[in-house]
Amino acid sequence: VVWRNLKILIPFGEEEYYSKLLNHYYVMKTAQPIDVHNYSLTATDEDIKNGIVDEFGVVYSKDGLRLLRGKNIIQYRIQDGVKAICDEAFTGCESLKSVKLPKSVSHIGNGAFRGCKSLYSIDLSYVKYIGQIAFEDTSLNKIFFPVSPEHIGDYAFSNCKKLWYVFCFPNSNQQGIGIFNNCDNLTT
């Protein structure tokens, strides 16, 4: 496929999916940078106590900018306007299969989805920061970064045994060690 004068190899039958993501890449690449990491990715007991609980039991910060704690549900759509998913927010939610992130989410904390063994689908197109072991031991099978995150933490996608495809423009400033450690099916 030729896209904006670039030749790009896209898996057969995935043209529509990748076309949308490449267009996201163009929008992100031409957008003005915004600093959103001026708050903590750590959810304290006080934060959770004072947080806002939605109808699914998911806890958000009072200002609505951070998702503090998730619940073990099958699928979930994160509220618009959220900027960050805090450390260990969904850790161990083994029933969680799919998460929809709004474009506003730019930061995913350490271990945010660690051990979500059923998680196979999440769109990381607008995420700039991925913490350590954020997706360790999940069932993600493909990852597409139309714009490389500014930071990918150590072992962020380790032990993702079903992960077979990753597409990423090589311009991450800070990449951790062992990002794809023990991802035995990874070919790209």
Side-chain angles (χ1 to χ4, degrees):
V1 172
V2 176
W3 178 82
R4 300 202 184 270
N5 297 325
L6 295 172
K7 288 184 181 179
I8 299 173
L9 179 64
I10 294 178
F12 182 74
E14 300 283 337
E15 293 86 0
E16 182 179 341
Y17 172 77
Y18 288 103
S19 176
K20 289 178 184 176
L21 290 174
L22 286 168
N23 285 325
H24 286 302
Y25 165 75
Y26 180 74
V27 170
M28 290 293 294
K29 206 63 173 161
T30 58
Q32 295 298 316
I34 300 170
D35 181 20
V36 295
H37 199 96
N38 55 2
Y39 46 81
S40 175
L41 291 176
T42 302
T44 65
D45 290 339
E46 183 79 15
D47 290 335
I48 294 168
K49 178 182 161 189
N50 295 323
I52 299 167
V53 181
D54 73 4
E55 66 270 22
F56 301 101
V58 176
V59 183
Y60 290 89
S61 60
K62 284 178 16 177
D63 61 9
L65 296 177
R66 300 181 299 150
L67 187 150
L68 306 173
R69 282 289 169 263
K71 283 289 185 182
N72 197 17
I73 50 184
I74 295 174
Q75 60 184 13
Y76 187 70
R77 182 181 177 90
I78 294 173
Q79 296 176 3
D80 290 334
V82 170
K83 303 277 187 200
I85 300 169
C86 287
D87 298 343
E88 302 178 353
F90 286 95
T91 293
C93 293
E94 294 187 6
S95 297
L96 186 64
K97 291 182 179 181
S98 175
V99 175
K100 296 280 187 187
L101 301 180
K103 293 177 183 179
S104 59
V105 172
S106 60
H107 288 67
I108 296 177
N110 296 333
F113 295 95
R114 182 181 192 193
C116 294
K117 296 183 182 294
S118 299
L119 182 64
Y120 69 90
S121 176
I122 190 167
D123 182 355
L124 301 171
S125 295
Y126 295 94
V127 176
K128 294 180 181 180
Y129 178 96
I130 298 173
Q132 296 178 2
I133 60 173
F135 293 95
E136 180 184 55
D137 205 17
T138 64
S139 290
L140 293 176
N141 56 25
K142 59 184 170 181
I143 302 168
F144 187 88
F145 295 110
V147 176
S148 291
E150 295 168 6
H151 174 87
I152 302 175
D154 295 347
Y155 303 98
F157 298 95
S158 65
N159 293 318
C160 293
K161 301 294 185 184
K162 295 183 179 181
L163 185 62
W164 65 273
Y165 183 82
V166 175
F167 180 86
C168 185
F169 284 98
N171 65 354
S172 269
N173 296 331
Q174 298 179 7
Q175 290 186 358
I177 59 170
I179 295 171
F180 299 107
N181 192 46
N182 293 325
C183 295
D184 301 332
N185 289 321
L186 189 59
T187 58
T188 304

